[in-house]
Structure formats: structure tokens, C-alpha cells
Amino acid sequence: MRAIEIYSYGALASISQSSIPKNKKIAHQSLRFNRTKIRAVGTVPEKSSERAETPQEYEEPCVKFQFVSSVLLPDGTPDVQLRKACGGKKLRDIMLDANVELYGPYARPLLNCGGGGTCATCLVEVVEGKELLNSRTDKENENLKRHPKNWRLACQARVGKPDSRGMMIIQQLPEWKAHEWNYRELPPIEEEEEESSSVSSSSA
């Protein structure tokens, strides 16, 4: 805050009769200005402080999944499980770690090869996100000759890399699916549901 002070000192002004025309009479007058003090007070605006930028929350790289069951819910809508996991893992490991049904009637140890790629019982249908997977392996080409190109063996399909991001829609047990559904009408992924159902990053 700054103050500006202006001082005016008294002055005396006299008009003598000699300087007045003779045909006019003007009384001798004295103009006196009393000493005055003028004070003007003003404020100088302070510089606006720069707003501190709020750092954006960093989200770890992950792939989001929508696993669709082969059986509809009682109301006729798809049974969808929401999950997310780090890339660089096989789809089989991601599904088993997240408690998502993979083998169906072949879940018993003696009914599947345990991820060796020889029994072809871990079939899945990749509805969306196939660009995140590796190409079909030789074992897949041998066992899936009569199946659609978007069918994969979960034990042979690797999901991206550790820094991959994206979303995948996976149909579970496609050979047991007895209904058709429109995946575009699936419910949107909500952050709260994702966090509560996410795959632990410590799981291998």
C-alpha cells in the first residue's frame, strides 16, 4: 500500500488600485489561500500468485477385460465379469488368477493338459482386442483348423507387454454358448467395479 501526499502553501494575492482602470472602482481585495494538506491514499494490487498445477494421478499400465459367460442371467442379459491385469501374461493365467471360468466341464486336472497347448480345452472367443494378442502359434494352427479365426487357446495367447493398455472382450467357453448377444450393448466399465475386481499385480 502506498500513500501520496500533496502540500499547498498559503499565498497572498493583492490587486493594487494603480493597476485598475480609472473609470472602474474595485475595492482592494486580498485573496488569501489557507495552508491545506491533501492526502490521497491508494492501493497497489499485489501480483496474483501463480496457481499450483494439480498433478494428474498416474495410472499404471493395464489391460481391461470384459469376460462374458456362456450362460445368460435369469433376465436374459449377458453375465459379464470386469477385470484388469498387467500385460505380458498368458490369457490362461490372467483368467485363472481372476477366478474366471475357463475350462468348464474340463476343469479337473486329468481332463486338461495344464497349459501345454495339446488338449484344446481352454478355448476362448476374442470378440474385441485381438490386436493385443500374439499371432496364433503352431499348436493353435494345428488344433483350431476347423474353428473361426478369432478363437484362441488361452494357454497360447499372450496379452501384450507389461506397458500395454487397451480393452478386450472375451467370450468364455464359446463351444458351449447357446445364445447370441450384441457386445456393443454391454454395460460400461466403471472404475469402482474395476478396482474391486482387479487382478492382483503380484499374481504371476
Side-chain angles (χ1 to χ4, degrees), residues 37-195:
K37 181 178 181 180
I38 301 174
R39 184 178 183 183
V41 179
T43 58
V44 179
E46 298 180 356
K47 294 182 179 179
S48 58
S49 57
E50 297 180 357
R51 296 180 179 178
E53 296 183 357
T54 304
Q56 297 181 352
E57 294 183 0
Y58 175 74
E59 182 180 358
E60 294 291 338
C62 67
V63 178
K64 301 175 182 179
F65 296 89
Q66 289 181 307
F67 293 105
V68 185
S69 175
S70 60
V71 181
L72 294 175
L73 294 173
D75 61 357
T77 58
D79 183 8
V80 183
Q81 298 183 65
L82 307 179
R83 298 290 189 272
K84 64 180 180 180
C86 294
K89 302 178 182 179
K90 290 185 176 181
L91 184 58
R92 174 184 181 272
D93 298 332
I94 292 175
M95 295 179 69
L96 293 179
D97 291 341
N99 296 320
V100 176
E101 186 179 17
L102 174 62
Y103 289 106
Y106 307 107
R108 295 181 181 180
L110 297 179
L111 298 180
N112 65 78
C113 66
T118 58
C119 67
T121 57
C122 60
L123 274 174
V124 294
E125 179 184 355
V126 182
V127 179
E128 187 172 308
K130 61 181 180 180
E131 67 278 358
L132 291 171
L133 299 178
N134 60 314
S135 302
R136 274 188 175 185
T137 63
D138 294 338
K139 292 182 179 180
E140 287 181 290
N141 290 330
E142 181 180 353
N143 291 308
L144 303 179
K145 292 179 180 179
R146 299 181 180 180
H147 293 85
K149 293 183 179 180
N150 64 333
W151 285 32
R152 298 293 303 268
L153 295 180
C155 67
Q156 300 295 303
R158 186 173 296 277
V159 182
K161 300 178 180 179
D163 59 347
S164 295
R165 299 175 185 268
M167 190 188 75
M168 299 189 68
I169 299 177
I170 304 296
Q171 172 66 62
Q172 305 163 239
L173 303 171
E175 73 276 25
W176 297 95
K177 183 180 68 173
H179 61 84
E180 295 296 332
W181 51 272
N182 185 358
Y183 71 91
R184 297 185 184 278
E185 297 179 358
L186 291 178
I189 295 178
E190 297 181 2
E191 294 298 331
E192 295 181 358
E193 293 182 357
E194 287 180 12
E195 293 177 0

